[in-house]
Amino acid sequence: MKVTWPHLGHSDIVLKSLFRDLGVDMVIAPPNNKHSLTLGVKHSPEFVCLPFKLTLGNMIEGLELGGDTIIMAAGSGLCRFGYYAKVQERILRDLGYEFDMVTTALFESKIVGVARLVKRLSGGAPLSKVIAAIRLGLAKLSAMDDIERAVHRVRAIEINKGIATKLFQEAINAIDYASDMSGLKKAKMDYIAQLNDVAVDTKIDPLKVGVMGEFYVVLEPFANMDVEIELGKLGVEVKRSLFVSHWTKFSLFLNAFGVTEKEKTHRAAMPYLKRDVGGDGWESVGEVVLHAHSYNGLVHLSPFTCMPEIIAQNIMPSIKADIPVLTLISDEQMGRAGMLTRLEAFVDLLHRRRSASLAGALG
Amino acid sequence: MTKVGIPRALLYYQFYPMWRTFFSHLGADVVVSAPTTKSVITTGSSRVVSETCLPVKVFCGHVRSLVGQCDYVFIPSVCSLEKGSHNCSKFMGLPDVIKAVVPNCPPILDPDIDLAKGKRGFYLALYHLSRPFTWNPLKVKAASEAAWQSHLTYRDLMHNQGLVPLQALAQMGLEPEPDFHEPGPATMTIAVIGHPYVLFDEYINHKLIRRLQGMGVRVVTAEMAGEEDLALSLKKLAGRAYWTFEDEIVGAGGHYLERNVDGIISVVAFGCGPDSLMIDLLQRQARKVPTKAYMSLTIDEHTAEAGLVTRLEAYVDMIRRRKNSV
Ligand code: SF4
Ligand code: SF4
């Protein structure tokens, strides 16, 4: 058996660590790229949302490389995402692939359910070993999130642009290789220290821009055309509350902070959107209300035809909060030039607004 | 009398008799928006972002036309109708979206209908919904029972007498008799698959069903199949229901692929999220049954009547030729 799975940001780290520890063979599809996108688009229904197409592309590449067992999230409350696996399995079979599709309801199951699944895949490793491996995997995830927060801060004000991004890449590798908790801790400390040592211009007070929206496009840099790196290049500090580690409920329960953060966002959304609409629509509305006074602007990421984000987009203009929101829609065209132009214009606008309000406050 | 407005769009086609009975029993006057017109669509579209699906745009136009006509508008947030399945995001967020985009919208009655969470919550929601009309729980109970009865009657008319919603509503005296010209003896049977608010809003689909009937086609829809049959076909094709209305698309499609029909037409509204996947499943299955001619139509606000008619005629001709050649 060789397991493979579609990518989601840096979540690979967890599965890699897990399966390496348990001696499960795996095939890692190449990171999202033009080719996997083209493959996905070719075999997907035309009007399905982008994450479907990209994850299908990963699956095809994983199978081509010899994978025979696909791991995929499913389950209710996930909007179309929860239905992806059903249709993707059919598409892959129609293409003639032979494989097992293992779905896991990440949002509902307790850690036990996931542990059982992993145990099965590992051919019956003792549960204690499975739990230890899962724990290490999740610890890697949260270490990465901590490092990423530091990267966001440094990127905006580093003197030589690109160093933070390079360190981030190295950190991902180091964390990936850590084989136990102490190694992981060391790698994390090491990179946080290195990031803190990057030469920065302390005189700059960077604009703070929140990045939010549908989780897949927020977390998968290929899908959002590296919007965070681009914002960093423009001297903007990215603020993001969505991290891979928040994505699963069981890690939410390891991470109480994530829960309260989410509840706070929902409460903020209440006057405009009273209920969960699946996906991340509720959070998107909440973030606008919540951060109207703490950030200079918000970049709202949404896949083309994304249902919950269309709800959010329709509601946002009615929010009585004075904060500019730039909605960027990701589709398979990946029009990078257009995205950059809009981003630059947006950042200019934020600068002008800030100067005007400073001038107002002084004068 | 307090006037409750009901937009003639989305779930209207499935639940109007139920809703009407409920509010009438509570002593309210029910006002329904007039059938869809060009201006309903234009006002609707102009209020929401362009990516929004056509049926929600239409809904929005209908609410707009109710402004000033009623004291409340009824827009439930329908999250689930049974355990395990969920509705499309747009149904859940509908009242909130409408509040945000329709200026001067009358107060919205927006109960949360989430039957997956159990009956108790549902009864509470009904009780809250009734607050503007009565505080008496017994009155609410009586109204709910009457409402359920008229829903059963409505469904029965469709299942057992083979009526489409507009005809069934007419039978119940809730709509003027539609001038369906009695089609002559039908020469073929075609199943038309789609959400009721797409199939039975005659303006947005350019009278698709009536046209087919005019061409000598007997049209069958999900409403005419038994619920158990739909559920069974759905299970065979896609496993447990994931979407609230999966049975009327995947279930009905699968059902008619195994019945004595000559063709299947699926009608999808532009921008529909769930259908992008459900119709794909159906299409894949249809390919395995080449004896049934399958055609998929997508409808948006710019769909030209002439183009649609041409496609329908070509399709019907093709089936006719096929039938004659065997
Ligand atoms: S949230 Fe958006 S992108 Fe994600 S599954 Fe739903 S529609 Fe697709
Ligand atoms: S099911 Fe499709 S057509 Fe209906 S509201 Fe949702 S997206 Fe729109």
Side-chain angles (χ1 to χ4, degrees):
Chain A
M1 182 185 64
K2 278 201 162 86
V3 297
T4 186
W5 58 83
H7 298 297
L8 169 68
H10 314 301
S11 64
D12 277 1
I13 295 270
V14 193
L15 293 175
K16 271 200 251 178
S17 166
L18 199 62
F19 293 133
R20 206 184 290 131
D21 275 7
L22 299 170
V24 178
D25 275 347
M26 53 190 153
V27 172
I28 295 159
N32 273 318
N33 59 72
K34 276 259 141 51
H35 179 66
S36 51
L37 173 64
T38 312
L39 266 179
V41 168
K42 182 165 166 215
H43 299 292
S44 298
E46 185 181 357
F47 289 112
V48 77
C49 36
L50 186 67
F52 182 99
K53 298 176 177 171
L54 285 172
T55 50
L56 182 69
N58 298 151
M59 289 174 185
I60 295 178
E61 291 196 310
L63 292 174
E64 285 293 336
L65 290 172
D68 58 18
T69 303
I70 300 175
I71 302 178
M72 178 66 179
S76 64
L78 283 178
C79 187
R80 270 188 274 187
F81 208 95
Y83 199 73
Y84 279 9
K86 262 191 201 182
V87 184
Q88 286 169 329
E89 179 173 1
R90 196 66 54 93
I91 293 175
L92 295 170
R93 296 224 188 277
D94 283 355
L95 286 173
Y97 291 105
E98 279 171 26
F99 59 95
D100 277 331
M101 185 99 157
V102 180
T103 56
T104 162
L106 282 180
F107 267 63
E108 296 151 6
S109 43
K110 305 271 175 299
I111 195 157
V112 193
V114 175
R116 247 189 239 125
L117 171 73
V118 175
K119 188 175 153 77
R120 205 179 91 213
L121 290 174
S122 69
L127 206 57
S128 60
K129 204 172 161 205
V130 171
I131 300 266
I134 292 183
R135 184 164 294 148
L136 178 63
L138 290 178
K140 287 187 175 183
L141 206 52
S142 78
M144 297 248 307
D145 291 349
D146 289 343
I147 291 175
E148 199 168 8
R149 281 192 194 93
V151 170
H152 284 155
R153 184 168 39 77
V154 175
R155 236 186 221 149
I157 52 174
E158 61 187 353
I159 292 172
N160 300 311
K161 290 288 174 201
I163 298 194
T165 302
K166 199 172 125 271
L167 281 174
F168 187 36
Q169 270 315 319
E170 289 176 24
I172 293 176
N173 290 333
I175 288 179
D176 189 13
Y177 281 118
S179 55
D180 55 23
M181 285 290 191
S182 75
L184 169 63
K185 198 163 167 198
K186 206 179 137 289
K188 174 179 148 183
M189 293 312 220
D190 181 27
Y191 277 95
I192 298 258
Q194 287 196 50
L195 281 162
N196 285 337
D197 284 347
V198 173
V200 294
D201 185 344
T202 47
K203 290 192 297 296
I204 305 177
D205 175 18
L207 288 170
K208 293 187 179 40
V209 170
V211 169
M212 48 94 172
E214 191 272 345
F215 78 89
Y216 184 92
V217 285
V218 170
L219 295 173
E220 177 56 47
F222 179 79
N224 61 41
M225 294 176 280
D226 298 310
V227 71
E228 295 188 350
I229 296 181
E230 297 300 341
L231 281 167
K233 282 190 200 154
L234 294 171
V236 169
E237 181 175 343
V238 167
K239 294 287 195 181
R240 147 147 78 79
S241 50
L242 187 65
F243 283 91
V244 182
S245 62
H246 294 184
W247 188 56
T248 55
K249 264 224 177 101
F250 62 86
S251 56
L252 273 178
F253 118 99
L254 296 176
N255 176 355
F257 174 72
V259 176
T260 43
E261 183 82 343
K262 259 204 159 157
E263 274 175 5
K264 228 165 75 190
T265 318
H266 295 164
R267 261 202 306 280
M270 280 309 237
Y272 304 99
L273 180 55
K274 285 201 269 184
R275 58 261 296 169
D276 192 357
V277 291
D280 311 275
W282 206 9
E283 287 79 11
S284 293
V285 170
E287 292 227 21
V288 178
V289 183
L290 202 58
H291 299 304
H293 302 293
S294 44
Y295 299 167
N296 301 94
L298 287 161
V299 171
H300 173 219
L301 302 177
S302 164
F304 182 57
T305 77
C306 175
M307 298 137 55
E309 300 306 331
I310 289 176
I311 303 268
Q313 265 191 75
N314 275 320
I315 291 177
M316 279 178 196
S318 74
I319 297 177
K320 290 183 196 63
D322 189 21
I323 182 165
V325 179
L326 173 69
T327 297
L328 294 176
I329 310 244
S330 294
D331 64 14
E332 59 216 52
Q333 313 305 329
M334 296 281 168
R336 205 178 179 102
M339 190 271 284
L340 289 182
T341 317
R342 294 187 62 202
L343 215 52
E344 276 165 29
F346 185 65
V347 171
D348 274 351
L349 165 86
L350 299 185
H351 274 299
R352 268 183 276 120
R353 274 174 56 102
R354 183 163 72 172
S355 322
S357 78
L358 281 179
L362 293 175
Chain B
M1 228 184 331
T2 315
K3 283 192 186 151
V4 175
I6 294 185
R8 187 189 294 265
L10 292 179
L11 298 183
Y12 166 87
Y13 296 94
Q14 260 138 310
F15 297 113
Y16 175 55
M18 179 200 257
W19 295 345
R20 186 190 171 90
T21 312
F22 183 75
F23 288 114
S24 314
H25 268 72
L26 294 177
D29 213 3
V30 172
V31 188
V32 182
S33 56
T36 309
T37 58
K38 174 124 193 80
S39 95
V40 166
I41 299 188
T42 322
T43 26
S45 307
S46 71
R47 313 272 353 152
V48 291
V49 296
S50 62
E51 266 187 78
T52 312
C53 63
L54 177 65
V56 168
K57 289 177 175 167
V58 170
F59 187 89
C60 184
H62 278 275
V63 177
R64 191 61 233 283
S65 74
L66 284 167
V67 172
Q69 310 295 315
C70 53
D71 305 295
Y72 295 96
V73 218
F74 177 58
I75 311 176
S77 163
V78 180
C79 178
S80 71
L81 294 179
E82 64 186 3
K83 229 180 166 53
S85 61
H86 271 77
N87 214 341
C88 151
S89 306
K90 292 176 194 163
F91 280 105
M92 302 194 233
L94 197 57
D96 308 87
V97 168
I98 293 299
K99 189 173 136 204
V101 304
V102 175
N104 308 318
C105 185
I108 299 175
L109 301 172
D110 62 343
D112 284 293
I113 308 299
D114 195 351
L115 293 178
K117 288 202 179 130
K119 291 236 166 84
R120 209 187 125 70
F122 176 60
Y123 293 141
L124 272 176
L126 286 185
Y127 186 60
H128 279 289
L129 170 63
S130 313
R131 276 298 167 78
F133 315 98
T134 179
W135 286 72
N136 180 351
L138 292 177
K139 218 170 152 188
V140 179
K141 188 159 179 272
S144 318
E145 279 162 5
W148 182 244
Q149 273 316 317
S150 66
H151 186 57
L152 293 181
T153 311
Y154 181 49
R155 279 205 322 210
D156 188 62
L157 283 173
M158 295 188 285
H159 295 171
N160 296 337
Q161 298 192 25
L163 302 184
V164 297
L166 296 180
Q167 293 166 316
L169 289 171
Q171 284 254 319
M172 295 176 81
L174 298 175
E175 283 267 4
E177 195 64 48
D179 54 340
F180 278 116
H181 34 108
E182 254 330 298
T187 52
M188 65 180 77
T189 305
I190 291 175
V192 182
I193 307 297
H195 296 289
Y197 46 83
V198 176
L199 299 188
F200 304 114
D201 186 327
E202 295 208 298
Y203 187 84
I204 65 171
N205 65 33
H206 301 299
K207 304 200 168 101
L208 178 109
I209 291 186
R210 211 184 290 213
R211 270 181 214 288
L212 284 169
Q213 289 173 334
M215 297 175 196
V217 172
R218 186 169 81 93
V219 174
V220 289
T221 62
E223 285 75 16
M224 297 164 199
E227 263 167 67
E228 295 84 45
D229 288 345
L230 294 185
L232 203 71
S233 300
L234 170 58
K235 203 156 165 224
K236 271 215 309 230
L237 239 169
R240 242 181 69 202
Y242 180 83
W243 301 105
T244 300
F245 299 117
E246 199 166 342
D247 53 351
E248 73 196 20
I249 308 290
V250 182
H255 174 77
Y256 285 119
L257 274 174
E258 293 182 345
R259 290 299 182 287
N260 191 17
V261 302
D262 301 295
I264 294 191
I265 304 180
S266 64
V267 191
V268 179
F270 186 76
C272 177
D275 282 6
S276 65
L277 289 170
M278 292 197 277
I279 293 296
D280 191 68
L281 277 186
L282 182 56
Q283 218 156 350
R284 283 171 190 281
Q285 187 65 19
R287 259 180 237 149
K288 299 186 182 138
V289 192
T291 47
K292 311 250 185 274
Y294 177 84
M295 173 165 77
S296 162
L297 294 175
T298 303
I299 294 198
D300 69 13
E301 57 237 81
H302 311 296
T303 300
E305 184 161 354
L308 191 88
V309 173
T310 315
R311 284 196 65 187
L312 286 181
E313 282 171 351
Y315 174 77
V316 168
D317 276 350
M318 187 263 291
I319 295 182
R320 192 163 286 137
R321 275 199 309 274
R322 205 191 255 193
K323 279 176 84 84
N324 290 342
S325 71
V326 279

